[in-house]
Amino acid sequence: MKVAFFSAKPYEREFFKSTDPNGIHAFTYFEARLNRETASLAHGHVAVCAFVNDRLDEPVLEQLADEGVRYIVLRSAGFNHVDLDAAHRLKIKVARVPAYSPYAVAEHAVALMMDLNRKIHRAYARVREGNFALEGLMGVDMHGLTAGIIGTGRIGLCTARILKGFGMNLLGYDLYEPPEAKQLGIEYATLEHLLTASDIITLHCPLTPDTHHLIDANAISLMKPGAMLINTSRGEVVDTKAVIEGLKSGKIGNLGLDVYEEEEYLFFQDLSDKVIQDDVFSRLLTFPNVIVTGHQAFFTRNAMEAIARVTFGNLDELEATGKCANLVSPESHWVMPEVLRDDNF
Ligand code: NAI
């Protein structure tokens, strides 16, 4: 199948090439993000392979349909960036990689927690300058703290397993309670109780209409003073401006973000020679108790291999049968506030 691969990075090409050494599918790699300006590049391709910050709103999908695209294969688990109603209307099938390495994301979330708690980012900079003073570097034992896990699916449960190993108390908030949660000792609570009782709150739910700005000013007001917030799910689950107010007041003691509401204009590119125009993001970077990583929680060798393998499986299935076990449909929950946004960078 001819596949137009958008937002291509050299490290991804390596995995995709080694997964399909005989070139069963013909990939054209485009470094450009998929959007209204670049959609015409898909001309002559049956499938588009897209990542999290590619834009798959109605106008883009209409252009892709006009170019003859019939399949979208996402290199991600999340599909909140696809207008599934429009895809359905245009008879474009959308497949994803539902799980590639929950360990990768869970371990990154815990890395953020541990770094923030023990202030490793500050210690690293200090020691390199010959400053071995300990003032300002004190943490607390993770053992005995309470973690509130919002979304106890694949990644949330992995996170729970790691934190249980630390001897932490686990609170969970989800629409469903998976059987394993009981064995792990996760106590399910209302969102309000979880926010009130947790020392560390970690987000592992998808972005849906219900979770958009789940962490807003009201949620923050319920948190323990000095609570730590970790978001490795999707940027829009958190109201960033409200979080900045929470940091300024001290209500939020530490913040670890791997995702950001406006990340499509920033992440996955080297902007080190440019002036960042996003003042909200820039403000985040001024706090000593904030760590931001650029949507890298998924980024392990194991996850990259799995993404390539499952994507090829999706293409094989779609080519052979027109169907695929990993299809997402309009019945799947989604939200795409980005369609309301200006596309100018
Ligand atoms: P999953 O589908 O296994 O688990 C999600 C859980 O969230 C489910 O148990 C679901 O019931 C729960 N949930 C859904 N709506 C909810 C609501 N309104 N309130 C509370 N819980 C709700 O998904 P998985 O694999 O654990 O991934 C979770 C999210 O992590 C993905 O949707 C994606 O946004 C994000 N992710 C981030 C990555 C990164 O690199 N930062 C990489 C992969 C995923």
Side-chain angles (χ1 to χ4, degrees):
M1 194 183 300
K2 289 189 81 177
V3 185
F5 192 111
F6 282 88
S7 301
K9 299 288 180 196
Y11 48 78
E12 287 182 297
R13 290 172 73 149
E14 182 196 317
F15 283 99
F16 273 77
K17 281 192 174 148
S18 59
T19 307
D20 183 28
N22 301 322
I24 291 169
H25 297 289
F27 279 72
T28 314
Y29 293 96
F30 298 110
E31 282 179 30
R33 268 200 303 132
L34 174 61
N35 57 32
R36 292 168 206 186
E37 282 72 47
T38 60
S40 60
L41 292 169
H43 180 75
H45 297 83
V46 182
V48 156
C49 187
F51 199 45
V52 288
N53 289 326
D54 286 314
R55 182 176 286 257
L56 289 150
D57 58 10
E58 189 167 26
V60 169
L61 289 167
E62 280 172 351
Q63 281 184 65
L64 294 179
D66 287 346
E67 302 292 357
V69 170
R70 287 171 29 225
Y71 306 119
I72 308 278
V73 284
L74 301 173
R75 309 195 292 284
S76 60
F79 50 90
N80 51 281
H81 53 310
V82 187
D83 185 335
L84 292 174
D85 288 319
H88 182 70
R89 179 176 63 73
L90 295 161
K91 300 192 172 26
I92 295 178
K93 289 186 176 152
V94 183
R96 65 170 177 147
V97 183
Y100 37 89
S101 173
Y103 311 104
V105 184
E107 288 167 12
H108 192 80
V110 175
L112 289 173
M113 288 174 203
M114 297 187 75
D115 189 324
L116 284 163
N117 177 34
R118 303 305 295 269
K119 298 154 182 58
I120 305 295
H121 56 297
R122 300 187 68 193
Y124 173 80
R126 270 191 201 185
V127 168
R128 286 174 73 90
E129 293 204 347
N131 177 356
F132 304 101
L134 296 184
E135 281 79 5
L137 298 184
M138 191 159 59
V140 289
D141 290 1
M142 301 270 279
H143 180 94
L145 294 184
T146 296
I149 302 171
I150 298 183
T152 54
R154 281 168 283 235
I155 297 170
L157 283 180
C158 269
T159 308
R161 273 183 231 120
I162 300 170
L163 299 183
K164 184 183 162 69
F166 289 164
M168 294 180 73
N169 307 308
L170 304 176
L171 290 176
Y173 172 71
D174 200 312
L175 310 176
Y176 309 99
E177 296 183 24
E180 196 196 333
K182 203 169 190 172
Q183 295 153 23
L184 285 169
I186 299 176
E187 186 190 318
Y188 280 84
T190 60
L191 181 60
E192 288 70 22
H193 179 64
L194 181 147
L195 293 168
T196 313
S198 300
D199 301 292
I200 299 176
I201 296 158
T202 185
L203 305 176
H204 300 292
C205 54
L207 174 63
T208 70
D210 290 338
T211 63
H212 184 259
H213 283 189
L214 187 76
I215 303 298
D216 59 7
N218 181 48
I220 292 165
S221 73
L222 297 174
M223 290 180 190
K224 273 189 182 182
M228 181 187 293
L229 176 66
I230 303 290
N231 187 10
T232 58
S233 63
R234 283 292 180 267
E236 291 94 331
V237 177
V238 166
D239 178 347
T240 315
K241 287 184 181 154
V243 161
I244 286 173
E245 290 309 311
L247 284 161
K248 283 163 73 178
S249 71
K251 187 77 174 175
I252 295 177
N254 288 289
L255 174 70
L257 297 182
D258 185 54
V259 287
Y260 169 62
E261 289 192 83
E262 304 289 331
E263 70 175 51
E264 69 170 293
Y265 304 109
L266 297 168
F267 289 1
F268 306 124
Q269 52 192 327
D270 181 358
L271 301 178
S272 53
D273 284 338
K274 304 235 166 69
V275 174
I276 303 282
Q277 299 296 326
D278 183 331
D279 292 344
V280 175
F281 185 78
S282 298
R283 181 68 177 101
L284 274 180
L285 300 185
T286 66
F287 293 99
N289 50 352
V290 172
I291 296 181
V292 182
T293 53
H295 207 137
Q296 69 171 78
F298 73 98
F299 197 46
T300 64
R301 175 162 291 279
N302 318 61
M304 294 302 289
E305 281 166 359
I307 289 170
R309 191 179 63 251
V310 175
T311 302
F312 276 110
N314 289 346
L315 287 167
D316 289 344
E317 257 187 282
L318 288 167
E319 187 166 52
T321 66
K323 295 181 193 153
C324 175
N326 294 326
L327 287 184
V328 282
S329 68
E331 287 73 46
S332 315
H333 295 294
W334 68 281
V335 64
M336 192 163 53
E338 296 99 316
V339 294
L340 304 174
R341 295 210 297 253
D342 192 349
D343 200 15
N344 296 325
F345 177 38

